[in-house]
Amino acid sequence: MSTATIPAPSFPLFKVEDRDGWQKVSSTRLFDNPHISVDRVECLTPHRHEKPVPWLVVQRKAAVALAPMTADGLFVLISQERVPVQQTLWEFPAGQIDVPVADITPDIVVNTALRELHEETGYALEAGGTLEPLGWFLPSQGFTDEHVYLFQAKPVCVVSRPEPDGSEHISDVRLVSAEELRRMIAANEITNALTLALFARMAAKGTI
């Protein structure tokens, strides 16, 4: 399904910038590769404005995560291998935005979300479906500036087989009810931050 036919909803973009008493006074690149970089920074903060605070900050690409729902109210989960924790996890589909953070626009975020939905699950929005922005979350704000844009997509339907990229292995796609999703979270069967963040945001908004 062409994402060009989906009007991009309006939503704010996350930015790390000097404001509200924050000021980055220095930044030194210590490590760099296509996936992450590491900077040594010094910042003045709202409550520490006389002497800069030193910190190591991991720079990562921004990302998207979405909770797809079928017309009959079932959520689409994927089972994906995660090398750093050596586990196969049930997750909502997600992926990185492959442009510099400074160049990100709402259209790019939306197109990335719909592409990841199709590649990882084989699903796409039905005609007339909606992609509702649910804000963003910070997966590990103590050491990285990574931020993930959250969406709820509904209704979705199967259009093809999943086609994950070469670095991913998705072993299964599963439909679960809201009750089953809640049970899996309560039983610690779902442990990844993006799925927990999506569930929390939908629960707070009363959509689940």
Side-chain angles (χ1 to χ4, degrees):
M1 181 176 183
S2 172
T3 60
T5 63
I6 306 297
S10 176
F11 55 90
L13 296 173
F14 177 85
K15 295 183 183 298
V16 177
E17 57 189 353
D18 290 351
R19 64 178 182 181
D20 302 329
W22 290 90
Q23 181 186 357
K24 185 185 294 183
V25 296
S26 70
S27 180
T28 303
R29 181 61 47 90
L30 303 178
F31 174 80
D32 198 13
N33 75 14
H35 305 290
I36 65 168
S37 60
V38 180
D39 293 345
R40 181 171 57 239
V41 304
E42 291 187 329
C43 284
L44 299 175
T45 78
H47 296 286
R48 291 174 285 183
H49 48 76
E50 294 182 356
K51 182 180 180 181
V53 178
W55 213 265
L56 289 180
V57 177
V58 175
Q59 310 277 348
R60 292 202 70 200
K61 295 177 181 177
V64 297
L66 64 163
M69 179 185 286
T70 63
D72 53 358
L74 298 178
F75 288 99
V76 183
L77 294 177
I78 59 174
S79 177
Q80 182 161 196
E81 292 183 344
R82 292 300 190 179
V83 173
V85 294
Q86 296 181 202
Q87 294 183 30
T88 302
L89 304 177
W90 285 109
E91 306 177 357
F92 281 131
Q96 290 185 320
I97 302 172
D98 288 324
V99 301
V101 170
D103 297 335
I104 290 176
T105 65
D107 279 333
I108 289 172
V109 176
V110 166
N111 288 340
T112 302
L114 294 176
R115 185 180 67 247
E116 292 295 336
L117 171 65
H118 179 259
E119 290 179 356
E120 294 193 344
T121 69
Y123 282 73
L125 277 178
E126 292 187 9
T130 61
L131 191 68
E132 179 187 358
L134 299 176
W136 61 73
F137 85 104
L138 307 174
S140 192
Q141 69 282 358
F143 83 99
T144 178
D145 66 347
E146 181 185 15
H147 48 283
V148 183
Y149 293 97
L150 303 174
F151 296 91
Q152 185 173 18
K154 61 180 181 181
V156 298
C157 60
V158 175
V159 294
S160 69
R161 294 178 58 84
E163 299 175 353
D165 69 33
S167 66
E168 300 173 325
H169 181 82
I170 295 172
S171 58
D172 197 7
V173 178
R174 176 182 179 185
L175 296 176
V176 299
S177 66
E179 291 75 17
E180 175 64 5
L181 180 62
R182 187 175 292 108
R183 185 204 64 76
M184 293 173 74
I185 291 172
N188 210 41
E189 295 173 17
I190 289 178
T191 55
N192 63 91
L194 65 88
T195 303
L196 296 174
L198 274 164
F199 181 87
R201 196 62 57 85
M202 288 188 294
K205 287 180 171 288
T207 61
I208 187 173

